[in-house]
Amino acid sequence: MPDPASLSDRLARQITASGPISISEYMRVSNAEYYARADPLGVDGDFITAPEISQMFGELVGLWFADLWLRQNRPENIQYAELGPGRGTLAADALRAMAKLRLQPPVHFVETSPALREKQNLAVPAATFSDGIDQLPSDSPLFIVANEFFDALPYRQFVATENGWREQMLSHDGQSFNVIAGQQSCDHMVPEDFRSAETGSIFETSPASVEVIYELSARLKKQGGAMLIIDYGYAQPGFGSSLQALKKHEYVDPFISPGEVDLTAHVNFMEIANLATQQGLLVSGPVHQGAWLSALGINQRADMLAVAAPDRVEDIMAARNRLVDTAQMGHLFKVLAISTPDWPTPEGFVQAID
Ligand code: SAH
């Protein structure tokens, strides 16, 4: 049934009136509406994230920051900032672990969704909210964390055609959205090494992510501190569309119900690493999430929790396995740190991805 108020119908009307929109624009408006509406996380929602699987995840993130802080001789005015904090679970677990080592920083949440802000406020009542990274404090060292944030930002796609590279656009034929190649030449958007790829190859890039990394790298350089990025993605860029949509834990067609499904793309960790390195920051990783959590002692933490709650041993070990196992989240998810070069080298980045 057409619903004139639905995002799908609104976008269809817009395209009919003004012409095709880019996949990136489609992703931007779809996710803005999707996250604004409701909390999509958890077993009853559309997808589940590492901090929602186990408290061990956020605790180890907190210990990782606390370790850096201790080795940097406890700078006093450090600030904790999180991008897209979901339900605030990661922050609550990380802050609890940090507080045990006497690190109790002020907390800043960069979050656009009113529905999720409400949950985050319950999890961490002392947090200050901002709509964008430009509002983060500019005069003190920052500990920044982003788990499954960059995958939700808009991604542009370019396709190799007989006539060179073109942007992937969406048209609408009255029934459905269709992917078409745009009219303008986009050769300059594709790295030189990739330009001779065969017809049909798709190259993805996320200018929105690049902008965030660029600005935060500049701040880290000036203010000191570190940023931890955890997401699914690849260490070496390749070709192909990684755009996907999740609804109730199932993959669905990304072009059917914009605003009602979680749209994501795989994060290009090389793009992020190169940019931060060019800006003079220390880049550690990417490494596999499983290797990073293991290096930080997730097995010991699981054993401790199991001793404290013997009736929950199976759940605790299942959660540990889900986070670490190669066939589960352990390999698909990667961890990358960007830090100030005159700070100590971050822990956990021991096993490089081959
Ligand atoms: N980090 C959380 C949630 C991941 S879901 C976890 O691991 O559980 C993505 C999060 O990013 C949500 O909180 C969503 O509302 C937020 N988000 C998405 N796009 C955003 C944007 N452009 N600016 C700020 N937050 C955004």
Side-chain angles (χ1 to χ4, degrees):
M1 270 299 270
D3 168 6
S6 73
L7 181 59
S8 181
D9 279 21
R10 278 183 281 141
L11 283 174
R13 285 201 300 277
Q14 182 193 330
I15 290 170
T16 309
S18 331
I21 59 168
S22 66
I23 290 215
S24 161
E25 177 62 7
Y26 176 84
M27 212 177 159
R28 188 185 70 74
V29 291
S30 177
N31 273 351
E33 173 138 333
Y34 175 75
Y35 284 110
R37 255 179 349 131
D39 171 8
L41 290 154
V43 181
D44 302 329
D46 294 330
F47 62 99
I48 194 154
T49 57
E52 300 300 328
I53 290 171
S54 166
Q55 68 186 82
M56 294 185 279
F57 185 81
E59 287 170 348
L60 290 171
V61 167
L63 288 177
W64 182 85
F65 280 120
D67 165 70
L68 259 187
W69 176 72
L70 288 171
R71 287 190 286 132
Q72 178 65 9
N73 298 320
R74 302 182 173 88
E76 254 172 33
N77 51 350
I78 206 114
Q79 314 263 332
Y80 176 93
E82 191 168 334
L83 314 184
R87 290 179 169 173
T89 310
L90 193 170
D93 293 336
L95 292 164
R96 195 179 59 248
M98 289 189 223
K100 290 202 173 131
L101 295 164
R102 298 187 193 288
L103 171 56
Q104 289 172 295
V107 178
H108 302 267
F109 285 162
V110 178
E111 176 61 67
T112 41
S113 158
L116 286 172
R117 275 189 182 200
E118 238 174 78
K119 298 235 162 146
Q120 291 157 16
N121 195 36
L122 291 175
V124 185
T128 307
F129 288 96
S130 38
D131 288 325
I133 50 171
D134 51 324
Q135 291 158 33
L136 292 175
S138 55
D139 53 359
S140 37
L142 298 170
F143 278 165
I144 309 164
V145 58
N147 185 60
E148 289 210 41
F149 171 75
F150 287 99
D151 65 54
L153 295 187
Y155 280 68
R156 293 180 76 175
Q157 287 190 348
F158 299 96
V159 60
T161 72
E162 306 276 314
N163 306 312
W165 288 88
R166 298 292 164 93
E167 181 144 22
Q168 297 257 84
M169 311 287 288
L170 288 181
S171 64
H172 198 276
D173 58 13
Q175 299 287 323
S176 57
F177 296 100
N178 300 302
V179 180
I180 56 163
Q183 311 220 321
Q184 279 163 12
S185 166
C186 291
D187 289 355
H188 61 287
M189 292 301 300
V190 178
E192 262 174 42
D193 310 354
F194 283 42
R195 281 199 200 143
S196 55
E198 60 188 64
T199 302
S201 302
I202 290 171
F203 173 76
E204 290 181 335
T205 179
S206 173
S209 304
V210 165
E211 189 52 37
V212 172
I213 298 294
Y214 189 84
E215 186 170 322
L216 292 179
S217 294
R219 277 165 172 275
L220 289 174
K221 185 118 194 258
K222 189 167 122 256
Q223 298 170 221
M227 174 167 186
L228 193 61
I229 299 168
I230 307 153
D231 225 310
Y232 50 104
Y234 41 88
Q236 297 289 338
F239 291 117
S241 169
S242 70
L243 181 69
Q244 63 183 39
L246 272 176
K247 182 82 190 165
K248 302 258 174 253
H249 306 271
E250 304 271 349
Y251 291 107
V252 294
D253 184 333
F255 303 120
I256 293 224
S257 310
E260 291 167 36
V261 298
D262 177 50
L263 285 184
T264 57
H266 285 203
V267 172
N268 182 342
F269 278 97
M270 187 183 255
E271 187 168 63
I272 293 177
N274 287 346
L275 186 60
T277 307
Q278 279 159 19
Q279 297 221 76
L281 286 139
L282 174 67
V283 171
S284 308
V287 295
H288 291 130
Q289 171 174 297
W292 188 78
L293 291 172
S294 300
L296 293 183
I298 193 169
N299 288 341
Q300 293 85 330
R301 184 69 190 128
D303 291 344
M304 276 169 70
L305 289 174
V307 169
D311 52 324
R312 290 190 47 236
V313 172
E314 271 181 35
D315 289 349
I316 294 164
M317 295 308 163
R320 193 269 321 266
N321 293 344
R322 193 159 169 195
L323 294 173
V324 169
D325 277 1
T326 309
Q328 301 197 57
M329 294 175 80
H331 254 194
L332 181 58
F333 281 74
K334 316 280 187 300
V335 185
L336 180 110
I338 301 173
S339 57
T340 315
D342 54 3
W343 280 47
T345 305
E347 283 290 344
F349 294 90
V350 283
Q351 207 179 320
I353 296 171
D354 19 84

